[in-house]
Amino acid sequence: MNIILLGPPGAGKGTQAKRLEQERGMVQLSTGDMLRAAVKAGTPTGIQAKAVMDAGELVSDAIVSGIIGERLDMEDTLKGAIFDGYPRTAAQAESLDVLLSERGRQLDFVIELEVNEDALVERVEGRFTCANCGEGYHDKFKLPKVEGTCDVCGHHEFKRRPDDNAETVRTRMAEYRAKTAPILPFYEAKGLVKKVDGMADIAEVGAQIDAILDGKA
Ligand code: AP5
Ligand code: MG
Ligand code: ZN
């Protein structure tokens, strides 16, 4: 099964993708995470992407579709891909169709996380992740069970993203509204879109997604 998780910054795409990886053995393909890894490694792509990401704008379609294509050639993605933060423009949606059909694969669902934008700034500002395994947390909504210790790997260091400040989040939301939300009709026309209430708590959002994947919603 191959799915897209679609929603603005802080909607919960990464949170739900990580859970689906752990519970269903699917593979999270987050272009944001891949780009951050490229920035950290100082690759040519990373050097090009850093300033764009820090400003909250979109990296070029060619770069992100290129890295998704390379990733889809790795065998683990045959277990089922969760596209998180990709596609983000009409051109990327068209590229994804080509990338999948070239490999004899197809999309099963596009799951839209419906959220109230006003709540998202708080979600993004409170976010932090384990520096070792990448597990996501939140200052208010999802603290580690033991303070200062990652639930998943037991590590004690955490990090925050440079683009997770109120000002950059506003730009990221504007980009979502202008360029990403308009791709929904493309998938609606294919009958692939399912909506979940992204304002519910994390477990409830997960249950709504599970119902869709299990053919019960
Ligand atoms: P990316 O990394 O994709 O960031 P984003 O889309 O802005 O989304 P986020 O990761 O901020 O949000 P999320 O939905 O994953 O939320 P999360 O689950 O963490 O992209 C970053 C940048 O890279 C872009 O700005 C762009 O420059 C570039 N880029 C990436 N992909 C690109 C592409 N395809 N094309 C061009 N450029 C691209 O949740 C947020 C917080 O809320 C967490 O702390 C979590 O614990 C908490 N939370 C989650 N769900 C709930 C809930 N239901 N209730 C309460 N709290 C919750
Ligand atoms: Mg994310
Ligand atoms: Zn960890």
Side-chain angles (χ1 to χ4, degrees):
M1 188 173 284
N2 300 302
I3 65 170
I4 294 174
L5 295 181
L6 197 74
K13 304 180 295 292
T15 301
Q16 296 300 330
K18 284 237 146 42
R19 185 191 62 85
L20 290 170
E21 268 196 338
Q22 287 158 8
E23 293 179 8
R24 294 186 181 240
M26 297 172 77
V27 179
Q28 176 191 19
L29 304 188
S30 159
T31 41
D33 287 349
M34 293 176 205
L35 290 166
R36 280 184 288 279
V39 169
K40 198 173 166 199
T43 66
T45 298
I47 291 164
Q48 227 180 312
K50 185 174 185 336
V52 179
M53 293 174 76
D54 285 348
E57 289 160 9
L58 294 186
V59 173
S60 82
D61 293 333
I63 288 181
V64 292
S65 292
I67 56 178
I68 283 287
E70 281 173 24
R71 190 66 187 81
L72 284 173
D73 284 333
M74 297 182 195
E75 244 185 45
D76 62 334
T77 59
L78 288 166
K79 294 189 287 186
I82 307 157
F83 296 98
D84 161 5
Y86 178 90
R88 261 176 151 92
T89 64
Q92 292 178 27
E94 280 161 26
S95 295
L96 179 60
D97 266 6
V98 174
L99 291 169
L100 288 172
S101 65
E102 280 173 349
R103 291 164 179 77
R105 300 186 220 172
Q106 59 180 38
L107 274 176
D108 294 282
F109 297 110
V110 176
I111 299 177
E112 182 193 2
L113 297 160
E114 288 189 299
V115 283
N116 163 0
E117 275 198 17
D118 295 334
L120 297 183
V121 176
E122 183 186 23
R123 278 200 197 171
V124 168
E125 283 191 309
R127 169 169 52 193
F128 60 98
T129 54
C130 171
N132 181 49
C133 75
E135 180 68 8
Y137 295 97
H138 191 278
D139 292 327
K140 198 161 142 190
F141 305 122
K142 190 188 165 196
L143 283 163
K145 293 190 182 81
V146 177
E147 197 188 329
T149 305
C150 176
D151 296 347
V152 175
C153 75
H155 213 77
H156 300 294
E157 278 160 85
F158 297 89
K159 57 183 184 185
R160 291 180 190 259
R161 279 169 43 179
D163 59 344
D164 277 352
N165 57 77
E167 194 198 329
T168 310
V169 172
R170 298 280 176 208
T171 307
R172 285 158 56 198
M173 279 177 191
E175 289 282 76
Y176 179 83
R177 246 180 275 123
K179 295 171 188 162
T180 308
I183 69 179
L184 270 163
F186 172 80
Y187 290 119
E188 268 157 5
K190 295 174 187 272
L192 293 175
V193 178
K194 299 276 185 184
K195 295 179 191 294
V196 302
D197 174 13
M199 296 313 295
D201 66 38
I202 293 174
E204 169 58 21
V205 177
Q208 289 183 28
I209 293 174
D210 284 342
I212 293 166
L213 301 190
D214 294 335
K216 292 176 187 148

